[in-house]
Amino acid sequence: MIEVRGLRKSFGENEILKGIDVHVDTGDVVVILGPSGSGKTTLLRCINFLEKADDGVLTVGDMTLDLKSVRKKDIAAVRKRTGYVFQNYNLFINKTARENVMLGLTVGRRMPKDQAFAIATAALDRVGLSDRYDHYPSQLSGGQQQRVGIARAIALNPEVILFDEPTSALDPELIGEVLQVMKDLAEDGMTMLVVTHEMGFARDVASHVIFMDDGVIVEEGTPKDIFNHPQHERTRQFLRRILKGEAGEFGGSGI
Amino acid sequence: MFNMEFARATMGAILREGLPATLTVVFWTLVISLPLGFLLGLIRFRRVPVLMPLSTVVISFFRGTPLVILIFLLYSALPDALARLAQIHGWGIDVYGLLLGSTKGYAVFICSTFTISTMAEIFRSALGAVEAGQLEAAHCVGLSTAQAYWHIVIPQALVSALPNLGNDVIGLVKGTSLMFYMGLKDIMGVAKTEAGPAYAYVEAYVDVLIVYVVLCFILQELFRHLEQRLRSYGAKG
């Protein structure tokens, strides 16, 4: 479905991604774990051309692109097939929840207004915001804003959705509602590539887990492989540190 | 003694003749300066090659020149120089008639030079105040950069530019009071004309003061309401 080969990216002298290979099959939920600064977010941003990669090959469906030399047309084509959910939501602050979801349909895809209206309404219903259609982002909680962000992505019917730490900016009591929406999406068969620190979500929902550190993939496997039998010392250290932090929650949240 | 009678009569003249002239000049200056200032601000924000350094020179000049000097340069020096040029090359154009035929028109031209310059900077900084994530999100839902600017970035920038635009418009209104130097019969011009023969400058200036204060207060409230209305999306609750 979506595949990255040999992805490299530097900011100045600082090499952030040192040759990354990722493969996501249709219906997979691939979770990327790793400490801050390991390059997880940059990886997602390069896939959607929010950053320009220095080297690598990207395959989305039947399209294969050399990331060194992409054209505007290719970028538009990839974005048409991928959804993106941001860490800090990035809802359009001058648009209501429903307008946020509609804009990509009416302007990006030139869909008639009434049709886009129906799709946007259904997408907001799907994330449990049937009573918030006409609210502006400033009138919504963080969890509600992020659910609008997810509705905005799914309304465009993407083949894969990229999630960039979707719960990192949320108050702890709001994380659950967003994870639940993501879990529902996964159960409906949505293909997802998720950067997160939510170990419970990785363990229960992921079909494949990737552990990144310092710009490389240290190890990957099923959640069971990574959580129960980590092969590398760096992975073990990371898991110990994170799981100690959420000792009470891990295994108990049900998500 | 303060001549109340004279003050009242002069106030009448100011409101009949001067105020409409001031408002006309301000209105047309805004009609010209808002779109051009925005365009220039956009050029500067997007760092368009060639136009960017060019605009820096022009804007620095018009923002840095005192208004009185600007009036002298554009009203006296520029037409003189052009007339000389026309004479030398035998163009047979009546430069003075062409440029200075309408005092109001030329006042609008002068006011526009510095208003475009200040507004370009206001719009440039307002565009910079829009979060980068807004443009990224627009790209991710399939909008082109032009579409993203039209639907997301520019509407947000206009709202955040409003307080500074309000200040700029009030500055412009007061700036027009110097246009009497080039013979414009605006609020100040009418007051001066009336005050001269009677030698009642105190009365005339008090009239001028009152008219400007009231005018600027109205403008200030107008902008405040406009901002409140347009910013409704940012309201908590």
Side-chain angles (χ1 to χ4, degrees), chain B residues 57-91:
Chain B
V57 175
V58 172
I59 287 176
S60 304
F61 176 79
F62 284 116
R63 285 176 83 202
T65 309
L67 191 46
V68 179
I69 305 297
L70 202 59
I71 292 170
F72 166 74
L73 277 177
L74 296 178
Y75 182 67
S76 307
L78 181 70
D80 285 351
L82 287 178
R84 195 62 184 276
L85 217 63
Q87 198 185 7
I88 290 168
H89 293 273
W91 289 340

Coordinates of all heavy atoms in Angstrom, one line a residue, chain B residues 57-91:
Chain B
V57 N 13.4 49.5 -0.8 CA 13.9 50.8 -1.1 C 12.8 51.8 -1.1 O 12.8 52.9 -0.4 CB 14.7 50.9 -2.4 CG1 15.1 52.3 -2.8 CG2 15.9 50.0 -2.4
V58 N 11.7 51.5 -1.9 CA 10.6 52.4 -2.0 C 9.9 52.6 -0.7 O 9.6 53.8 -0.3 CB 9.6 51.8 -3.0 CG1 8.3 52.7 -3.1 CG2 10.2 51.8 -4.4
I59 N 9.7 51.5 0.1 CA 9.0 51.7 1.3 C 9.8 52.4 2.4 O 9.3 53.3 3.1 CB 8.6 50.2 1.9 CG1 7.5 49.7 1.0 CG2 8.2 50.3 3.3 CD1 7.1 48.3 1.4
S60 N 11.1 52.1 2.4 CA 11.9 52.9 3.4 C 11.9 54.4 3.1 O 11.9 55.2 4.0 CB 13.4 52.4 3.3 OG 13.4 51.0 3.5
F61 N 11.9 54.7 1.8 CA 11.9 56.1 1.4 C 10.6 56.8 1.9 O 10.6 57.8 2.6 CB 12.0 56.3 -0.1 CG 11.9 57.7 -0.6 CD1 13.0 58.6 -0.4 CD2 10.7 58.2 -1.1 CE1 12.9 59.9 -0.8 CE2 10.6 59.5 -1.5 CZ 11.7 60.3 -1.4
F62 N 9.5 56.2 1.5 CA 8.2 56.9 1.9 C 7.9 56.9 3.3 O 7.2 57.8 3.9 CB 7.1 56.3 1.0 CG 7.1 56.7 -0.4 CD1 7.3 55.8 -1.4 CD2 6.9 58.1 -0.7 CE1 7.3 56.2 -2.7 CE2 7.0 58.5 -2.0 CZ 7.2 57.6 -3.0
R63 N 8.3 55.8 4.0 CA 8.1 55.7 5.5 C 9.0 56.7 6.2 O 8.6 57.2 7.3 CB 8.2 54.3 6.0 CG 7.1 53.4 5.7 CD 7.4 52.0 6.2 NE 7.1 51.8 7.6 CZ 7.6 50.9 8.4 NH1 8.5 50.1 7.9 NH2 7.2 50.8 9.6
G64 N 10.2 56.8 5.7 CA 11.2 57.6 6.4 C 11.1 59.1 6.1 O 11.7 59.9 6.9
T65 N 10.4 59.5 5.1 CA 10.4 60.9 4.8 C 9.3 61.6 5.5 O 8.1 61.2 5.5 CB 10.1 61.1 3.3 OG1 11.1 60.3 2.5 CG2 10.3 62.6 2.8
P66 N 9.6 62.7 6.2 CA 8.5 63.5 6.9 C 7.5 63.9 5.9 O 7.8 64.3 4.8 CB 9.3 64.7 7.5 CG 10.7 64.2 7.6 CD 10.9 63.3 6.5
L67 N 6.3 64.0 6.3 CA 5.2 64.3 5.4 C 5.3 65.6 4.8 O 5.1 65.8 3.6 CB 3.8 64.2 6.2 CG 2.6 64.2 5.4 CD1 2.7 63.2 4.2 CD2 1.4 63.8 6.2
V68 N 5.8 66.6 5.5 CA 5.9 68.0 5.0 C 6.9 68.0 3.9 O 6.7 68.6 2.8 CB 6.4 68.9 6.1 CG1 6.6 70.3 5.5 CG2 5.4 68.9 7.3
I69 N 8.0 67.2 4.0 CA 9.1 67.1 3.0 C 8.5 66.4 1.8 O 8.8 66.8 0.6 CB 10.3 66.4 3.5 CG1 10.8 67.1 4.8 CG2 11.4 66.4 2.5 CD1 11.2 68.5 4.6
L70 N 7.7 65.4 2.1 CA 7.1 64.6 1.0 C 6.2 65.5 0.1 O 6.2 65.4 -1.1 CB 6.3 63.4 1.6 CG 6.1 62.2 0.7 CD1 7.4 61.6 0.2 CD2 5.3 61.2 1.5
I71 N 5.4 66.3 0.8 CA 4.5 67.2 0.1 C 5.3 68.2 -0.8 O 5.1 68.4 -2.0 CB 3.6 68.0 1.1 CG1 2.7 67.0 1.7 CG2 2.9 69.1 0.3 CD1 1.9 67.6 2.9
F72 N 6.4 68.7 -0.2 CA 7.3 69.6 -1.0 C 7.8 68.9 -2.2 O 7.8 69.4 -3.3 CB 8.4 70.2 -0.1 CG 9.5 70.8 -0.9 CD1 9.2 72.1 -1.4 CD2 10.7 70.2 -1.1 CE1 10.2 72.7 -2.2 CE2 11.6 70.8 -1.9 CZ 11.4 72.1 -2.4
L73 N 8.4 67.7 -2.0 CA 9.0 67.0 -3.0 C 8.0 66.7 -4.2 O 8.3 66.9 -5.3 CB 9.6 65.6 -2.5 CG 11.0 65.7 -1.9 CD1 11.3 64.3 -1.3 CD2 12.0 66.1 -2.9
L74 N 6.9 66.1 -3.8 CA 6.0 65.7 -4.8 C 5.1 66.8 -5.4 O 4.7 66.7 -6.6 CB 5.0 64.6 -4.2 CG 5.7 63.3 -3.8 CD1 4.8 62.3 -3.1 CD2 6.4 62.6 -4.9
Y75 N 4.9 67.8 -4.6 CA 4.0 68.9 -5.1 C 4.8 70.0 -5.9 O 4.3 70.5 -6.8 CB 3.3 69.5 -3.9 CG 2.3 70.6 -4.3 CD1 1.2 70.3 -5.1 CD2 2.6 72.0 -4.0 CE1 0.3 71.3 -5.4 CE2 1.7 73.0 -4.3 CZ 0.6 72.7 -5.1 OH -0.3 73.6 -5.4
S76 N 6.0 70.3 -5.4 CA 6.8 71.3 -6.0 C 7.9 70.7 -6.9 O 8.0 71.0 -8.1 CB 7.5 72.2 -5.0 OG 6.5 72.7 -4.1
A77 N 8.8 69.9 -6.3 CA 10.0 69.5 -7.0 C 9.7 68.6 -8.2 O 10.2 68.8 -9.3 CB 10.9 68.8 -6.0
L78 N 8.8 67.6 -7.9 CA 8.6 66.6 -9.0 C 7.9 67.2 -10.2 O 8.4 67.0 -11.3 CB 7.7 65.5 -8.4 CG 7.3 64.4 -9.4 CD1 8.6 63.5 -9.8 CD2 6.2 63.4 -8.9
P79 N 6.8 68.0 -10.1 CA 6.3 68.6 -11.3 C 7.3 69.5 -12.0 O 7.3 69.6 -13.2 CB 5.1 69.4 -10.8 CG 4.7 68.7 -9.5 CD 6.0 68.3 -8.9
D80 N 8.0 70.3 -11.2 CA 9.0 71.2 -11.8 C 10.0 70.4 -12.6 O 10.3 70.7 -13.8 CB 9.8 71.9 -10.7 CG 8.9 73.1 -10.1 OD1 7.9 73.3 -10.7 OD2 9.3 73.6 -9.1
A81 N 10.5 69.3 -12.1 CA 11.5 68.5 -12.8 C 10.9 67.9 -14.0 O 11.5 67.9 -15.1 CB 12.0 67.4 -11.8
L82 N 9.7 67.4 -13.9 CA 9.0 66.8 -15.1 C 8.8 67.9 -16.2 O 9.0 67.6 -17.4 CB 7.7 66.1 -14.7 CG 7.9 64.8 -13.9 CD1 6.5 64.3 -13.5 CD2 8.7 63.8 -14.7
A83 N 8.3 69.1 -15.7 CA 8.1 70.1 -16.7 C 9.3 70.5 -17.5 O 9.3 70.7 -18.7 CB 7.5 71.3 -16.0
R84 N 10.4 70.6 -16.7 CA 11.7 70.9 -17.3 C 12.1 69.8 -18.3 O 12.5 70.1 -19.5 CB 12.7 70.9 -16.1 CG 14.1 71.5 -16.5 CD 13.9 73.0 -16.8 NE 15.1 73.6 -17.2 CZ 16.0 74.0 -16.3 NH1 15.7 74.1 -15.0 NH2 17.2 74.5 -16.7
L85 N 11.9 68.6 -17.9 CA 12.2 67.5 -18.8 C 11.4 67.5 -20.1 O 11.9 67.3 -21.2 CB 11.9 66.1 -18.1 CG 12.8 65.0 -18.3 CD1 14.3 65.3 -17.8 CD2 12.3 63.7 -17.6
A86 N 10.1 67.8 -19.9 CA 9.2 67.9 -21.1 C 9.6 69.0 -22.0 O 9.6 68.9 -23.2 CB 7.8 68.1 -20.6
Q87 N 10.1 70.1 -21.4 CA 10.5 71.3 -22.2 C 11.8 71.0 -23.0 O 11.8 71.2 -24.2 CB 10.8 72.4 -21.2 CG 10.9 73.8 -21.9 CD 11.3 74.8 -20.8 OE1 11.7 74.5 -19.7 NE2 11.3 76.1 -21.3
I88 N 12.7 70.3 -22.3 CA 14.0 70.0 -23.0 C 13.7 69.0 -24.2 O 14.3 69.2 -25.3 CB 15.0 69.3 -22.0 CG1 15.4 70.3 -21.0 CG2 16.1 68.7 -22.7 CD1 16.2 69.8 -19.8
H89 N 12.9 68.0 -24.0 CA 12.7 67.0 -25.0 C 11.6 67.4 -26.0 O 11.3 66.7 -26.9 CB 12.3 65.7 -24.4 CG 13.5 65.1 -23.7 ND1 14.5 64.3 -24.3 CD2 13.9 65.2 -22.4 CE1 15.4 64.0 -23.4 NE2 15.0 64.5 -22.2
G90 N 10.9 68.6 -25.7 CA 9.9 69.1 -26.6 C 8.7 68.1 -26.7 O 8.2 67.9 -27.7
W91 N 8.3 67.6 -25.5 CA 7.1 66.7 -25.5 C 5.8 67.4 -25.8 O 4.8 66.7 -26.2 CB 7.1 65.9 -24.2 CG 8.2 64.9 -24.0 CD1 8.9 64.4 -25.0 CD2 8.7 64.4 -22.8 NE1 9.9 63.5 -24.5 CE2 9.7 63.5 -23.1 CE3 8.3 64.5 -21.5 CZ2 10.4 62.8 -22.2 CZ3 9.0 63.8 -20.5 CH2 10.1 62.9 -20.9

